[in-house]
């Protein structure tokens, strides 16, 4: 009660008719709220904000009062998120933006500083900076006023640049030209905010990155300025942010991955950030940025893997902070214990990038102490980010045939993976199901136990997902499962998937889904007894689907895969007849034998050679041959034996020999 009473006294003074008393009241209020969150909250509840904003906007208030009001509002914004919410709800942003039009530099600086504090908060909608088109150009013009306007304006841009649209707006208003020279400012704070601006502008933005490559700062190329900022004697924050700028420019295609500034400067700088000596957030940032830099490039992955024992260095990310950490600062220890999961996430991400392509690197990663156990426990951590990073790491390592046969088996990785697939956000599901696809390859010993744990139903349900990526992975995993599988598994897949769903997938708008579904069908229809059994129960629908695809507007790969399915059907003993009685399909095979694309000619010729094959005990091969001769297939085969393509020529000759046999 006392606090509220004394707070009320501060608010009452804002309404005094004597302007001098109001000014003194605001100054007293400023001193009362510094570092006192309770006092800030009380003043907000008692309605100080609308009054301060009113005073701030009145020209009659005088420059000093208006500036002090901006300072108090900035101090209130330094408090809790709720404070910031209250300020935004009182329309503080338009009032401060209006204030920037003043001629008084001190007042402008106070408004900018307050805006900066409000925009730094996660609860402030950044869109508010872009509502009025005149704001950004005006902020650009303030960059020449003083060091403070430079620091705060860059900080505002940095926090409000969240989307490609924001990047474009800032770019179009000359952000690059206006900010570049600030990198050589005599003020470290200005340099840092300018550097941070470039990192958010360049991130995944080819237009900005391509422009940055050609920018000169005082006669020196911008990339060289960044390289200089990564020198070991510079503050860590500066080294790390400069490395981010070069990383983003490289990933956006503006700097080659084999450029010296990447290989000899940026990559080693980021590896240094992963060492034990660095603070937790530096190690997290360093590892995540390095993971992003090397993700698409095998050569950078190889270089990173042998720089400063990086693979072993990352193992320390899982042991920190331990009870014996030499952290004397108790606040630091408390902070690091709360954020240790971020280190684990960053390590998994970097391991995933390191092992993306090279078998030897994967082997090194897996042989790092307790690696598989760490991944397995990562898959069930409470933090969703750690689970996602662990599954990304597992996916990367699951590309290795040797590891699938050994480490993955020894640690029964599939168990936590299946559990993860029961209920997880889409991002995790996509990665987990991709990994499962690899675990279901025929040489993987995990295949059996995964099947027994109810994977078929789970994968069939993925094929009904709204997300194309999940549909692809579900059907892909089923395709891998059906490869050289026994008849029972194939029938289980067909039963669980249902023919309706199979045909729905064959008309899926996503071509990847269609291709994998055709792959599944091709794997189901392999080995004679299987072909005959499946065609006897589902033949009519399968032939219909095949006809539809061959008639539709599909690419060469889709048609080729479909003709290969027909060839498999033609290899069946009784299944053959389903093609022989179907004039429409025979005419299509004939059409594709004369197609301009050799792949399609090959596949179609393969269908025909299976149909005319002369079996010792085979019934009706003579009738089939006669029928096909009447339809003109022999003439086409004869023509194809003259083909310039060696494979096509051989296949046609082999088929012709059947007629002579």
């Amino acid at each position: 009660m006392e606090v509220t009473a004394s707070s009320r006294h501060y608010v009452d003074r804002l309404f005094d008719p004597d302007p001098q008393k109001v000014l003194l009241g605001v100054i007293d209020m400023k001193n009362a709220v510094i570092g006192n969150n309770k006092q800030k909250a009380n003043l907000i509840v008692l309605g100080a904000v609308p009054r301060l904003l009113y005073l701030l906007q009145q020209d009659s208030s005088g420059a000093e009062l208006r500036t002090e009001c901006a300072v108090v509002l900035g101090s209130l914004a330094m408090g809790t998120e709720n404070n910031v919410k209250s300020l935004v709800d009182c329309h503080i942003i338009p009032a401060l933006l209006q204030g920037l039009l003043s001629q008084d530099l001190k007042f402008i600086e106070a408004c900018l500083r307050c805006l900066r504090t409000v925009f730094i908060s996660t609860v402030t909608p950044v869109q508010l900076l872009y509502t009025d088109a005149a704001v950004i150009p005006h902020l650009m013009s303030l960059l020449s006023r003083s060091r403070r306007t430079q620091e705060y304006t860059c900080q505002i841009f940095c926090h409000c640049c969240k989307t490609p649209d924001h990047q474009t707006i800032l770019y179009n208003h000359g952000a690059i030209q206006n900010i570049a020279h600030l990198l050589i400012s005599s003020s470290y704070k200005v340099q840092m905010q300018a550097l941070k601006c470039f990192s958010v502008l360049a991130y995944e933005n080819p237009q900005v990155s391509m422009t940055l490559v050609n920018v000169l700062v005082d006669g020196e190329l911008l990339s060289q300025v960044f390289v200089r900022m990564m020198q070991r004697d510079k503050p860590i924050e500066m080294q790390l942010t400069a490395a981010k700028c070069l990383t983003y420019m490289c990933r956006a295609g503006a700097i080659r991955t084999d450029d010296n500034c990447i290989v000899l400067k940026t990559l080693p700088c980021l590896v240094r950030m992963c060492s034990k000596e660095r603070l937790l957030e530096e190690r997290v940032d360093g590892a995540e940025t390095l993971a992003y830099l090397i993700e698409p490039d095998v050569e950078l992955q190889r270089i990173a893997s042998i720089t400063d024992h990086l693979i072993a260095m990352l193992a320390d990310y899982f042991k920190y902070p331990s009870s014996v950490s030499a952290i004397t600062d108790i606040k630091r220890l408390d902070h690091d214990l709360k954020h240790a999961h971020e280190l684990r996430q960053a390590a998994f991400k970097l391991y995933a990038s390191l092992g993306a392509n090279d078998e030897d690197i994967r082997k090194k990663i897996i042989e790092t102490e307790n690696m598989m156990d760490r991944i397995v426990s990562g898959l069930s951590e409470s933090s969703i980010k750690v689970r996602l990073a662990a599954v990304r790491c597992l996916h990367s390592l699951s590309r290795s045939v040797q590891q699938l046969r050994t480490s993955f088996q020894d640690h029964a990785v599939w168990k936590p993976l299946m559990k993860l697939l029961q209920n997880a956000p889409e991002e995790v599901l996509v990665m987990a199901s991709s990994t499962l696809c690899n675990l279901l390859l025929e040489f993987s010993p995990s295949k059996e136990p995964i099947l027994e744990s109810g994977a078929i139903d789970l994968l069939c349900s993925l094929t009904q997902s709204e997300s194309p990526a999940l549909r692809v992975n579900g059907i892909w995993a089923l395709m891998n499962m059906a490869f050289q599988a026994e008849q029972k598994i194939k029938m289980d897949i067909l039963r669980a998937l249902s023919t309706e769903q199979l045909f729905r997938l064959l008309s899926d708008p996503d071509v990847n889904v269609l291709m994998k579904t055709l792959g599944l069908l091709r794997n189901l229809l392999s080995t004679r007894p299987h072909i005959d059994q499946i065609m006897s129960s589902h033949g009519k629908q399968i032939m219909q689907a095949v006809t539809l695809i061959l008639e539709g507007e599909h690419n060469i790969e889709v048609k080729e895969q479909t003709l290969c399915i027909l060839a498999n059907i033609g290899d069946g003993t009784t299944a053959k007849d389903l093609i022989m009685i179907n004039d429409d399909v025979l005419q299509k095979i004939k059409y594709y034998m004369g197609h301009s694309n050799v792949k399609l000619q090959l596949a179609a010729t393969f269908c025909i050679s299976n149909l005319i094959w002369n079996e010792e005990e085979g019934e009706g091969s003579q009738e089939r041959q006669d029928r096909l001769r009447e339809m003109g297939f022999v003439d086409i085969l004869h023509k194809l034996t003259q083909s310039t393509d060696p494979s096509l020529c051989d296949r046609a000759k082999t088929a012709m020999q059947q007629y002579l046999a």
Side-chain angles (χ1 to χ4, degrees):
M1 281 311 293
E2 272 178 32
V3 181
T4 318
S6 69
S7 306
R8 182 170 296 288
H9 155 71
Y10 286 117
V11 179
D12 290 344
R13 289 170 70 190
L14 299 178
F15 292 89
D16 197 292
D18 178 351
Q20 201 46 38
K21 286 187 178 161
V22 175
L23 175 63
L24 292 172
V26 173
I27 292 169
D28 284 347
M29 186 185 277
K30 172 178 76 177
N31 296 329
V33 296
I34 290 174
N36 184 339
N37 273 349
K38 191 149 194 194
Q39 185 68 278
K40 289 176 189 178
N42 281 325
L43 290 172
I44 290 173
V45 169
L46 292 168
V49 177
R51 181 62 181 168
L52 287 166
L53 283 171
Y54 173 79
L55 294 169
L56 177 125
Q57 291 176 86
Q58 296 306 307
D59 287 334
S60 57
S61 295
E64 193 183 356
L65 174 57
R66 294 171 78 193
T67 305
E68 291 294 351
C69 286
V71 173
V72 175
L73 288 163
S75 195
L76 294 177
M78 289 274 193
T80 61
E81 285 188 347
N82 278 339
N83 291 7
V84 180
K85 266 205 183 81
S86 308
L87 293 172
V88 173
D89 291 344
C90 290
H91 307 295
I92 187 171
I93 291 172
L96 291 168
L97 290 172
Q98 193 59 38
L100 299 179
L101 298 171
S102 154
Q103 293 309 303
D104 187 285
L105 183 59
K106 271 216 158 31
F107 178 53
I108 292 175
E109 288 174 351
C111 287
L112 275 174
R113 184 157 181 244
C114 184
L115 274 168
R116 183 267 326 252
T117 309
V118 172
F119 275 121
I120 279 179
S121 167
T122 48
V123 298
T124 308
V126 293
Q127 213 38 51
L128 293 170
L129 190 69
Y130 303 96
T131 330
D132 177 348
V135 168
I136 302 292
H138 184 65
L139 283 169
M140 292 289 173
S141 72
L142 294 177
L143 282 168
S144 55
R145 294 294 298 274
S146 72
R147 271 192 212 164
R148 285 201 178 107
T149 64
Q150 290 169 345
E151 180 194 338
Y152 304 147
T153 305
C154 285
Q155 215 172 346
I156 290 168
F157 287 155
C158 187
H159 281 278
C160 294
C161 185
K162 301 280 188 217
T163 67
D165 284 347
H166 296 159
Q167 288 173 324
T168 306
I169 293 169
L170 292 171
Y171 174 85
N172 289 341
H173 282 103
I176 294 175
Q177 298 75 1
N178 283 305
I179 296 171
H181 67 98
L182 303 181
L183 289 170
I184 52 173
S185 161
S186 54
S187 151
Y188 173 72
K189 282 180 172 176
V190 172
Q191 280 185 315
M192 261 325 293
Q193 293 308 332
L195 192 54
K196 285 179 177 171
C197 260
F198 282 127
S199 79
V200 294
L201 283 168
Y203 181 65
E204 296 199 337
N205 193 314
Q207 185 189 30
V208 171
S209 297
M210 294 293 187
T211 308
L212 289 178
V213 179
N214 302 312
V215 169
L216 288 172
V217 182
D218 205 19
E220 185 180 23
L221 274 174
L222 188 63
S223 54
Q224 285 316 112
V225 177
F226 292 153
V227 166
R228 224 185 36 248
M229 290 176 151
M230 289 189 295
Q231 288 168 354
R232 289 165 188 259
D233 58 344
K234 296 283 188 284
I236 295 298
E237 179 190 29
M238 179 175 269
Q239 291 184 46
L240 192 47
T241 314
K244 277 186 185 176
C245 291
L246 289 163
T247 294
Y248 298 160
M249 287 162 72
C250 177
R251 280 299 306 264
I255 300 177
R256 289 167 52 109
T257 50
D258 57 3
D259 190 300
N260 279 349
C261 78
I262 297 296
V263 179
L264 303 178
K265 302 290 183 186
T266 309
L267 187 146
C269 170
L270 289 169
V271 173
R272 286 201 303 276
M273 297 302 146
C274 299
S275 83
K276 261 186 179 149
E277 283 67 63
R278 304 270 57 89
L279 290 173
L280 177 135
E281 43 274 35
E282 293 160 0
R283 292 167 81 186
V284 169
D285 230 357
E288 291 192 337
T289 308
L290 183 55
Y292 182 65
L293 173 65
I294 67 175
E295 190 180 16
D297 190 272
V298 65
E299 211 29 62
L300 289 179
Q301 289 157 14
R302 289 185 183 131
I303 296 166
S305 73
I306 54 170
T307 304
D308 293 354
H309 308 290
L310 176 63
I311 291 177
M313 191 147 66
L314 286 177
D316 289 332
Y317 277 44
F318 295 95
K319 304 177 199 160
Y320 178 89
S322 67
S323 48
V324 294
S325 289
I327 304 181
T328 42
D329 175 354
I330 198 77
K331 247 180 155 171
R332 191 21 110 176
L333 181 61
D334 183 49
H335 169 274
D336 286 2
L337 284 165
K338 284 198 186 95
H339 293 270
H341 65 94
E342 290 175 22
L343 275 175
R344 295 193 290 278
Q345 172 200 227
F348 282 139
K349 270 190 191 166
L350 185 43
Y351 277 138
S353 278
L354 283 164
N357 298 292
D358 187 290
E359 195 61 36
D360 295 336
I361 299 177
R362 289 185 199 127
K363 194 167 178 304
K364 266 201 221 163
I365 292 173
I366 284 180
E367 285 167 359
T368 307
E369 46 182 325
N370 311 334
M371 192 59 205
M372 289 311 280
D373 294 332
R374 290 201 171 116
I375 293 177
V376 167
S377 57
L379 291 173
S380 49
E381 271 203 40
S382 58
S383 155
I384 179 72
K385 284 184 170 170
V386 177
R387 292 205 299 275
L388 179 58
V391 83
R392 268 174 69 173
C393 181
L394 190 63
H395 179 246
S396 185
L397 300 173
S398 74
R399 294 183 178 137
S400 155
V401 174
Q402 201 206 337
Q403 301 310 337
L404 284 175
R405 286 191 173 139
T406 51
S407 321
F408 275 50
Q409 195 45 23
D410 303 342
H411 289 81
V413 174
W414 61 270
K415 279 185 184 160
L417 197 63
M418 286 292 288
K419 192 168 163 234
L420 201 56
L421 279 163
Q422 305 301 330
N423 58 345
E426 186 177 315
E427 236 186 323
V428 176
L429 278 179
V430 171
M431 268 297 153
S433 52
S434 285
T435 311
L436 196 61
C437 287
N438 292 344
L439 291 183
L440 287 167
L441 290 162
E442 44 58 80
F443 47 73
S444 158
S446 311
K447 193 169 174 174
E448 291 306 312
I450 291 175
L451 271 168
E452 286 155 20
S453 69
I456 294 180
D457 289 331
L458 184 101
L459 295 168
C460 288
S461 68
L462 285 184
T463 68
Q464 299 178 8
S465 162
E466 292 289 302
S467 146
L470 285 177
R471 292 201 301 280
V472 169
N473 287 350
I475 202 77
W476 192 344
L478 290 168
M479 177 184 102
N480 286 350
M481 199 184 267
F483 182 71
Q484 293 180 356
E486 55 202 65
Q487 180 65 0
K488 181 189 176 305
I489 293 176
K490 292 183 178 179
M491 293 315 279
D492 285 349
I493 291 175
L494 264 175
R495 202 172 303 122
L497 191 60
S498 83
T499 35
E500 296 81 50
Q501 178 60 4
L502 184 66
F503 297 122
R504 214 173 288 137
L505 292 166
L506 285 172
S507 54
D508 197 282
D510 187 299
V511 67
N512 296 321
V513 175
L514 174 56
M515 277 300 281
K516 294 289 179 252
T517 310
L518 290 169
L520 167 65
L521 204 46
R522 191 174 168 182
N523 287 349
L524 291 172
L525 294 167
S526 61
T527 73
R528 276 201 190 118
H530 297 185
I531 296 170
D532 290 333
Q533 193 190 341
I534 290 175
M535 291 306 288
S536 70
S537 52
H538 299 89
K540 196 173 160 218
Q541 294 131 303
I542 289 175
M543 292 303 287
Q544 256 178 333
V546 165
T547 315
L548 276 173
I549 291 171
L550 290 176
E551 279 172 0
E553 295 285 318
H554 292 290
N555 65 27
I556 301 289
E557 282 68 31
V558 168
K559 301 231 163 161
E560 182 193 15
Q561 188 80 295
T562 310
L563 287 166
C564 291
I565 290 170
L566 264 184
N568 283 11
I569 297 170
D571 193 35
T573 312
T574 54
K576 273 187 174 55
D577 302 336
L578 286 164
I579 300 179
M580 289 306 299
I581 58 171
N582 192 324
D583 233 25
D584 193 16
V585 170
L586 286 170
Q587 290 298 341
K588 287 192 170 50
I589 295 173
K590 194 167 158 184
Y591 165 76
Y592 285 110
M593 283 174 80
H595 199 276
S596 56
N597 185 290
V598 174
K599 281 183 174 174
L600 296 182
Q601 284 182 293
L602 270 167
T605 309
F606 196 37
C607 292
I608 284 302
S609 43
N610 279 351
L611 290 174
I612 58 182
W613 201 256
N614 229 333
E615 273 125 38
E616 303 305 315
E617 73 289 354
E619 283 298 307
S621 61
Q622 191 56 52
E623 289 150 44
R624 281 201 307 278
Q625 288 189 0
D626 295 343
R627 168 106 205 276
L628 294 168
R629 186 194 296 273
E630 281 161 32
M631 288 184 72
F633 278 101
V634 178
D635 303 338
I636 299 175
L637 281 172
H638 189 70
K639 215 189 262 162
L640 293 178
T641 56
Q642 263 95 66
S643 166
T644 49
D645 184 88
S647 330
L648 187 54
C649 176
D650 287 350
R651 195 165 278 183
K653 281 181 181 160
T654 314
M656 284 296 281
Q657 278 159 6
Q658 288 305 306
Y659 270 100
L660 310 170

